Amino acid sequence: MKNLLPLILSIVTLSAIAQNNKCATDLIIENAIIENPSIKNNLDKFYSEFEEYKTKKHRQNIDSVRIIPTVFHVIHQGGNENISKDQILIQLRVLNEDMRRQNSDTTNTPAIFSPFGADTKVEFKLAQIDPWGNCTDGINRVYSHTTNGASGSNGVNTTAYWNSNKYLNIWVVNSMENNGVAGYAYLPNTAPT
């Protein structure tokens, strides 16, 4: 059941908020399945386990909050894409407010989704220890051309990556491969290896 938490690979662009761009998760997963059909089995297994989890009457630690160590890989070439720690902390705060349903706009939830709105009991905190046992602030700045036209296929997620079984990896880049895409995420067990 560990894989039920959204330990996903994410790529975020600087223009996401300003340009009302879209998420390309569905397209990314479809392409991953085409490249590796066994991913479909992994995804089916995930959905099956998730349904089983939802129907269990006795879930352990229902009131405890799961803390996910998070690393922001800021892939940059010295420009505006090299965002500040303050910008990262603001986005992390917003993410946590949304995940814990503590955001101020919960009253704007469309009626069709209202019955499903809930505190996920998941919080993301900047990692304090890196994969090699060193202290970190959870921000990994990497100078690389992969910040432009970023995608999994151009190597941005291999330019900087920490084990996704232990960390949530978030990549901040200047631009995405597909115009109009603000970012994407892999569902559990669907990311290419």
Side-chain angles (χ1 to χ4, degrees):
M1 294 298 166
K2 290 187 262 187
N3 292 331
L4 294 179
L5 292 174
L7 298 176
I8 52 181
L9 303 176
S10 302
I11 296 182
V12 181
T13 65
L14 296 174
S15 61
I17 296 172
Q19 295 183 13
N20 192 23
N21 292 340
K22 298 180 181 178
C23 178
T25 297
D26 291 338
L27 178 63
I28 294 298
I29 291 173
E30 287 172 15
N31 288 338
I33 290 171
I34 290 168
E35 290 177 20
N36 182 358
S38 68
I39 288 175
K40 172 83 167 89
N41 295 334
N42 294 343
L43 192 56
D44 290 343
K45 181 180 176 193
F46 165 74
Y47 284 127
S48 173
E49 288 177 354
F50 185 67
E51 287 303 316
E52 179 184 323
Y53 174 80
K54 288 189 326 186
T55 60
K56 282 189 176 178
K57 296 188 190 280
H58 303 289
R59 286 178 266 183
Q60 295 177 342
N61 301 322
I62 193 103
D63 291 325
S64 65
V65 175
R66 175 79 187 258
I67 305 297
I68 308 295
T70 304
V71 58
F72 280 78
H73 301 285
V74 181
I75 312 300
H76 70 94
Q77 287 188 304
N80 291 338
E81 70 278 3
N82 191 9
I83 65 174
S84 70
K85 183 173 184 174
D86 286 342
Q87 289 173 289
I88 289 169
L89 292 174
I90 289 167
Q91 290 305 304
L92 194 59
R93 179 184 52 79
V94 169
L95 174 63
N96 282 321
E97 287 173 356
D98 289 345
M99 293 296 289
R100 299 292 315 274
R101 196 154 170 84
Q102 296 172 344
N103 47 322
S104 61
D105 64 351
T106 57
T107 56
N108 297 333
T109 303
I112 192 167
F113 299 115
S114 287
F116 306 105
D119 179 351
T120 64
K121 306 279 188 192
V122 172
E123 284 186 17
F124 302 97
K125 293 197 174 176
L126 290 176
Q128 296 178 355
I129 304 293
D130 72 13
W132 305 276
N134 301 311
C135 292
T136 182
D137 64 357
I139 301 170
N140 181 27
R141 297 183 187 279
V142 178
Y143 190 91
S144 173
H145 70 280
T146 60
T147 192
N148 298 305
S151 73
S153 62
N154 82 343
V156 72
N157 55 355
T158 57
T159 299
Y161 169 81
W162 293 4
N163 184 337
S164 59
N165 290 323
K166 297 180 179 182
Y167 303 93
L168 171 69
N169 287 274
I170 299 175
W171 289 269
V172 178
V173 298
N174 188 46
S175 64
M176 296 290 295
E177 180 178 55
N178 300 318
N179 290 333
V181 172
Y184 64 88
Y186 288 102
L187 294 173
N189 298 322
T190 64
T193 55

